[in-house]
Amino acid sequence: MITEDLEYIFHESMDLWEAFRNKKIFITGGTGFFGKWIVDAFIYANNKLSLNLQITLLVRNKSKCISIMSTWLNLNLINYIEGDVRSFEFPESNYDYILHAATDTSLTHAVEKSAYNLDVIINGTKHVLDFAKYTKARDVLYISSGAVYGKQPQIIGNIEEDFEGAPRVDDVTSIYGEGKRIGELLSLQYSDSYGFNVKIARCFTFVGPYMKLDGDLAIGNFIKDYINNDKITVKGDGSPFRSYLYISELVVWLLFILIKGKNCTPYNVGSDKPISIKSLAELIAGFGQKDLEVCICQKPVVILPSRYVPSVTKVNNHFGITQKIDLDDMIKKTINWAFLEKENI
């Protein structure tokens, strides 16, 4: 199942892979949801095309990383550096590409460890940019977030990259978005001062294998309920609108932004097809042959529902790529993976 998705990434990115031949790539956040897929995609393409890639992963614990991703064991193209993203020692080797994806997206951590989380985002990004200067990198991919826009106005259906809103500074849950916003500003300053390119991907909401089913994303929680045959529990009133892009498409879009994106130009990455949380719960509850109960914990609030839905016109126009995998297929693929994971526990 994973191989099928990797073949999709490989095929959809066919015109990009030669840019990585004989190149060295440094990746932070390689054991996260995004990072696992990015690394797997590079390994798959390297095996297909003999690209002679060298990948270095910054990890906190190499043994833990390999225990999680056993398929990476004994791969000669992967090197590991153990350390904190804010203070790791710079390796002597020069790198062509740096992909910075190391951030804890958990809202729980943003509230309970707000100062720590902000420090990791800002000073981690600064340290990575210092490394880009030191190693004479050509391109840095900065994984930012749609959270930089702050709360999406309810009258805006799909938020565009030129929206001038910002996270509220009197709300501790803004830590993640404000940190990413500062990270973008640092990236622009370093690019201007030191001459390397920084490509910016503002990522929204995604689904697929390797995602945490017990995290902050409703779709992951619903899939966990589904595979456990529990009622599908909606913690709020179900009115907010979200949109979901499948993880394999995320990787394709990130690769296009890294290789063909304009310097210091943000690109929204996500789906522009909204669905309410209530409708999403009902969709998953009735998936396949099941008919699970949907429990909505709060009464509806008589206001316009909140939205977190990007416009992806810029990606569509600049790169000629569009979303191809629909929500039903995303859910099916992730449920099938989740069942297999449950059986392996």
Side-chain angles (χ1 to χ4, degrees), residues 118-136:
L118 187 63
D119 182 50
V120 169
I121 296 171
I122 296 175
N123 288 315
T125 299
K126 184 179 184 302
H127 198 60
V128 169
L129 292 169
D130 282 331
F131 177 56
K133 177 183 66 172
Y134 171 84
T135 196
K136 297 180 173 59

Side-chain angles (χ1 to χ4, degrees), residues 30-63:
T31 57
F33 180 32
F34 291 9
K36 290 174 184 176
W37 277 99
I38 292 169
V39 175
D40 273 352
F42 278 129
I43 294 170
Y44 191 83
N46 188 73
N47 291 341
K48 283 275 194 174
L49 299 174
S50 300
L51 294 174
N52 191 33
L53 284 177
Q54 284 295 313
I55 299 171
T56 297
L57 299 181
L58 174 67
V59 297
R60 286 186 175 275
N61 186 306
K62 177 182 175 180
S63 298

Side-chain angles (χ1 to χ4, degrees), residues 273-329:
K273 300 171 176 58
I275 183 172
S276 73
I277 297 298
K278 179 176 181 290
S279 296
L280 177 67
E282 291 170 346
L283 176 63
I284 294 175
F287 212 78
Q289 302 300 315
K290 291 192 179 184
D291 185 19
L292 299 175
E293 178 187 355
V294 174
C295 176
I296 299 177
C297 294
Q298 296 181 10
K299 294 181 179 180
V301 180
V302 188
I303 57 173
L304 289 173
S306 68
R307 300 179 70 87
Y308 188 60
V309 183
S311 166
V312 292
T313 301
K314 183 184 285 189
V315 165
N316 298 160
N317 291 342
H318 282 207
F319 309 122
I321 53 177
T322 58
Q323 178 179 346
K324 296 181 180 180
I325 302 172
D326 64 27
L327 185 57
D328 279 0
D329 282 341

Side-chain angles (χ1 to χ4, degrees), residues 5 24 44 52 59 87-88 120 129-130 134 154 177 204 227 235 249 252 268 276 285 288 300 341:
D5 288 331
K24 292 185 177 180
Y44 191 83
N52 191 33
V59 297
S87 58
F88 66 90
V120 169
L129 292 169
D130 282 331
Y134 171 84
Q154 295 158 320
F204 279 71
I227 65 172
K235 295 176 182 178
E249 296 205 278
V252 172
N268 285 342
S276 73
E341 287 295 295

Side-chain angles (χ1 to χ4, degrees), residues 25-218:
I25 303 168
F26 187 90
I27 300 175
T28 74
T31 57
F33 180 32
F34 291 9
K36 290 174 184 176
W37 277 99
I38 292 169
V39 175
D40 273 352
F42 278 129
I43 294 170
Y44 191 83
N46 188 73
N47 291 341
K48 283 275 194 174
L49 299 174
S50 300
L51 294 174
N52 191 33
L53 284 177
Q54 284 295 313
I55 299 171
T56 297
L57 299 181
L58 174 67
V59 297
R60 286 186 175 275
N61 186 306
K62 177 182 175 180
S63 298
K64 183 178 180 181
C65 170
I66 293 174
S67 70
I68 295 171
M69 298 300 293
S70 59
T71 56
W72 298 354
L73 184 64
N74 298 324
L75 290 178
N76 292 330
L77 80 163
I78 297 183
N79 301 305
Y80 298 90
I81 293 178
E82 290 185 319
D84 190 298
V85 70
R86 298 165 293 178
S87 58
F88 66 90
E89 293 186 12
F90 296 165
E92 291 299 326
S93 178
N94 288 341
Y95 290 87
D96 302 284
Y97 299 107
I98 296 176
L99 286 73
H100 180 37
T103 307
D104 188 345
T105 60
S106 169
L107 291 178
T108 301
H109 286 179
V111 174
E112 296 178 358
K113 300 181 179 179
S114 55
Y116 168 80
N117 212 23
L118 187 63
D119 182 50
V120 169
I121 296 171
I122 296 175
N123 288 315
T125 299
K126 184 179 184 302
H127 198 60
V128 169
L129 292 169
D130 282 331
F131 177 56
K133 177 183 66 172
Y134 171 84
T135 196
K136 297 180 173 59
R138 185 174 71 182
D139 294 286
V140 176
L141 177 63
Y142 178 57
I143 308 294
S144 187
S145 169
V148 302
Y149 298 115
K151 186 176 181 181
Q152 182 173 337
Q154 295 158 320
I155 59 172
I156 296 179
N158 298 75
I159 200 160
E160 298 184 352
E161 288 88 347
D162 60 0
F163 177 69
E164 296 183 351
R168 290 182 55 157
V169 295
D170 61 349
D171 183 352
V172 72
T173 61
S174 296
I175 287 291
Y176 179 69
E178 191 64 33
K180 286 294 187 181
R181 187 177 176 87
I182 295 171
E184 287 190 18
L185 186 60
L186 282 170
S187 298
L188 268 63
Q189 188 270 318
Y190 270 74
S191 176
D192 181 64
S193 298
Y194 303 112
F196 56 82
N197 297 317
V198 177
K199 314 298 179 66
I200 300 171
R202 289 177 177 166
C203 298
F204 279 71
T205 315
F206 306 88
V207 63
Y210 297 152
M211 75 179 298
K212 290 182 178 180
L213 300 183
D214 57 354
D216 293 312
L217 293 183

